[in-house]
Amino acid sequence: MKIMRVEKTLVSTNRIEAFGHRPLLVVQEKVGGARSVAVDAVGCVPGDWVICVGSSAAREAAGAKDFPSDLTIVGIIDHWNPES
Amino acid sequence: MKIMRVEKTLVSTNRIEAFGHRPLLVVQEKVGGARSVAVDAVGCVPGDWVICVGSSAAREAAGAKDFPSDLTIVGIIDHWNPES
Amino acid sequence: MKIMRVEKTLVSTNRIEAFGHRPLLVVQEKVGGARSVAVDAVGCVPGDWVICVGSSAAREAAGAKDFPSDLTIVGIIDHWNPES
Amino acid sequence: MKIMRVEKTLVSTNRIEAFGHRPLLVVQEKVGGARSVAVDAVGCVPGDWVICVGSSAAREAAGAKDFPSDLTIVGIIDHWNPES
Amino acid sequence: MKIMRVEKTLVSTNRIEAFGHRPLLVVQEKVGGARSVAVDAVGCVPGDWVICVGSSAAREAAGAKDFPSDLTIVGIIDHWNPES
């Protein structure tokens, strides 16, 4: 799993139905770093440092075996110092 | 999922039957960046910034569990500023 | 999927039976670039620019769910200019 | 599989139920290198050099097919000299 | 699949039972390059240039659908010149 930071919500009106109403969030490996999009399974807010799971595990983690996610937020880290 | 930009359609007359008539699009992580090929599941046009899902989720997202895709476009982003 | 160029056939006398007689080809993302090995599902020749599918989709694309491929050539690109 | 070093335990109070009480550890490919998070399936301690499995194999290695892990520690290396 | 070179056997006394007695080998993409660990399915020796399969195909290639490998050696290359 990767440690990433939530930047903001991503708005995509035209998307496949399989996503349902699950929120899609923009995440970064570090502040100012490359961006990815993750499905939120825990309820987090911008600024949170989170644990993201990828690969086929991202589907199950998003709630169902056929959920089309390859990156799902599965936990919020209590305390994280990216510099340490 | 990755945020990518649609560049153009890719023509491949000789391809496996399993792709059917699904369009294959050339996508880039940024203008002038490395190219990948994605299956379009939402109906997008060149210039659109889109959400691409990879891994095993790309198969289901393309419409069927046995669709041989490892990168599928699952949503069009309403507004995206790659510089921000 | 990735856009790659076929360099040559790879000879491996001692290999697992599951590969059967399927040809294994050396492919490169660009001329002189890093090499990978792909299973050919369309019938291509050295010099062709091809579409390669990875992840779990490479298995099904190679002909069967239990075919042990993680990179399969699924189409030949009609015209490709790597410089454009 | 990758060779990684265990740095410390990661505390995440708010996480999906599917993780149960399995410990999550911060691992690095080298001292001072980029960090990932792995599920521990063997019982290791900070400083151990371990074998981490990724991809879909990480789920089964963590104990069950539906365990949402994409990186699982599957063995402790008896002796490892990262410089050699 | 990747072309890699076998460096040596990796000793890991404390490991998950699912590995059975299958040998684990340290492999490198080039001499002096980064190391990975692969399960040997063909019987190779240090110095061999081999074909390694990753992703979910590595499980089946290792002998069973539930074998927890993400990198399995599936063939020995007859002649390989890494410089060519």
Side-chain angles (χ1 to χ4, degrees), chain E residues 17-34:
Chain E
E17 282 188 30
F19 274 137
H21 292 291
R22 276 297 177 87
L24 297 178
L25 301 179
V26 179
V27 292
Q28 295 174 292
E29 287 203 46
K30 57 180 180 181
V31 179

Side-chain angles (χ1 to χ4, degrees), chain B residues 10-32:
Chain B
L10 184 67
V11 182
S12 165
T13 306
N14 181 357
R15 59 184 198 173
I16 60 172
E17 282 188 31
F19 274 138
H21 293 291
R22 274 297 176 87
L24 297 178
L25 302 179
V26 179
V27 293
Q28 296 173 292
E29 287 203 47
K30 58 181 178 180
V31 179

